[in-house]
Amino acid sequence: MDSVTQAALGATVAGAIAGKRCNAKVLLMGAALGTLPDLDVMLDYGDAVENTIKHRGFSHSIFVLLPFSWLISKLYTRFRPDEFWTMSRVFLLTASVLITHALLDAMTTYGTQLIWPIQGYFSVNNVFIIDPLYTLPLLAAILVGLFSSKRGGQWCRAVVAISTLYLGWGFASQQVIESRVEQNLAAHNIPNQQVLITPTPFNTVLWRVVVMDDGQYWEGLASLLDSDSNIDFIARPLGDWPLEDKPNTLKGLQAFSGNFLNYRVQDDALIVSDLRLGMSDSLPFEFIFAEKREDGEWELLNSTLRYPSERNLDVLGQLWARLKGDQNIDANLQSL
């Protein structure tokens, strides 16, 4: 999730645990802890793909966060002894803030290495990386906590429960769309072995569907407010890897994306795109792996480069209309 949401969640979780001792210092500490795991973006691995796939790695692992929480708690209680903030209570607060950060990230599509160093990315895909309906209640609880210490803890506890229910709603909404997708794939004789269902920006009502096929992939939109259960899938070319050898960076990107990858050649550059985020011709995670020499042969780059993606914000209005059930504009939604 975005940094504002993670800070707000951290502050709210801290306020909920503090209860009647909820105050500005507790909320600030929770917000700081809530953003701490994302500081791994400051690490540069010297390669665009490595920087992408190693984000949400060790800093989001429960095998790292729990010992780190114990260490922070031990140091705090040693230098700031307090009858209320005992070792166990400080550990509960610290671990809860850090673990909820990682778990919330795992709700999105990006992928989170919850059990690093064991390989594997977790992504439930039931909430977009920015969702105002999730974030605004958290901010409201923080405001109450800042101006009313007596009610701050109660508000934080209530909002943590509400935000958790919202994530549950996102998952339930996803299951409804998944049932429709299965029916449509069967009706259109499209394979269903590799299917992605993920929310479109800022909501859990309109969902994007990506289905991998031989030499192509299918893309469609489905809203809970659709009057027609039919999904208008559009076929798009998938491309393939043109070189005999596959570098480790490509293998890492395949694991990171669940192999939802597209390959294309543009301006003598070999571009590999992660199909999970964005839409059609506007995919935010695209990488240049190789360039074509004058003799027509491919030459792998020493380190991959990020390919600049264009953003069309005008399409957000069309997405809003599509969310409300207007299925006539599906063919016009070409990019995010």
Side-chain angles (χ1 to χ4, degrees), residues 218-239:
W218 302 83
E219 187 175 37
L221 292 168
S223 172
L224 293 177
L225 303 180
D226 286 344
S227 58
D228 185 354
S229 62
N230 181 64
I231 300 176
D232 185 14
F233 284 106
I234 299 175
R236 305 188 188 282
L238 196 57

Side-chain angles (χ1 to χ4, degrees), residues 49-281:
V49 169
E50 292 293 310
N51 288 339
T52 299
I53 66 178
K54 290 185 178 180
H55 174 47
R56 297 190 185 179
F58 71 92
S59 66
H60 288 62
S61 171
I62 58 176
F63 296 140
V64 174
L65 295 178
L66 288 176
F68 181 74
S69 299
W70 181 89
L71 177 62
I72 291 293
S73 305
K74 192 70 173 178
L75 292 173
Y76 181 87
T77 53
R78 179 177 180 180
F79 294 103
R80 295 290 299 272
D82 186 289
E83 291 184 0
F84 179 81
W85 290 111
T86 61
M87 172 68 184
S88 59
R89 186 168 280 140
V90 174
F91 176 77
L92 175 63
L93 186 150
T94 306
S96 296
V97 170
L98 294 176
I99 296 298
T100 53
H101 175 118
L103 292 177
L104 180 59
D105 275 348
M107 298 293 107
T108 67
T109 305
Y110 189 93
T112 305
Q113 298 182 63
L114 290 177
I115 55 175
W116 180 96
I118 300 174
Q119 296 298 313
Y121 294 90
F122 294 83
S123 54
V124 182
N125 310 321
N126 64 322
V127 66
F128 191 69
I129 56 174
I130 301 175
D131 193 325
L133 288 180
Y134 181 85
T135 307
L136 290 176
L138 300 175
L139 296 176
I142 293 172
L143 287 176
V144 174
L146 290 174
F147 294 102
S148 176
S149 58
K150 293 182 179 180
R151 294 189 300 166
Q154 295 177 347
W155 270 70
C156 286
R157 290 173 180 173
V159 167
V160 167
I162 292 172
S163 63
T164 303
L165 288 174
Y166 182 76
L167 294 176
W169 151 258
F171 182 77
S173 173
Q174 183 187 47
Q175 303 314 301
V176 172
I177 298 299
E178 181 178 353
S179 178
R180 285 178 53 191
V181 169
E182 291 177 354
Q183 296 174 11
N184 275 264
L185 294 180
H188 295 293
N189 293 319
I190 300 175
N192 61 356
Q193 285 78 18
Q194 193 174 358
V195 180
L196 174 73
I197 302 173
T198 184
T200 57
F202 319 132
N203 77 98
T204 50
V205 176
L206 178 62
W207 298 76
R208 174 175 173 254
V209 183
V210 178
V211 184
M212 305 297 282
D213 199 352
D214 292 334
Q216 63 184 352
Y217 71 97
W218 302 83
E219 187 175 37
L221 292 168
S223 172
L224 293 177
L225 303 180
D226 286 344
S227 58
D228 185 354
S229 62
N230 181 64
I231 300 176
D232 185 14
F233 284 106
I234 299 175
R236 305 188 188 282
L238 196 57
D240 53 20
W241 180 256
L243 286 75
E244 292 185 5
D245 297 330
K246 290 185 178 181
N248 290 331
T249 49
L250 177 62
K251 296 177 182 177
L253 186 59
Q254 288 175 330
F256 169 71
S257 67
N259 214 20
F260 279 92
L261 294 179
N262 179 45
Y263 306 89
R264 77 176 189 276
V265 176
Q266 185 171 325
D267 299 326
D268 291 333
L270 176 57
I271 302 170
V272 183
S273 306
D274 186 340
L275 296 172
R276 298 173 303 155
L277 299 170
M279 189 170 176
S280 60
D281 296 327

Side-chain angles (χ1 to χ4, degrees), residues 306-323:
R306 190 76 174 265
Y307 183 79
S309 302
E310 297 182 1
R311 302 294 178 86
N312 181 9
L313 297 180
D314 294 337
V315 80
L316 292 178
Q318 297 183 59
L319 282 174
W320 173 249
R322 182 64 187 82
L323 180 151

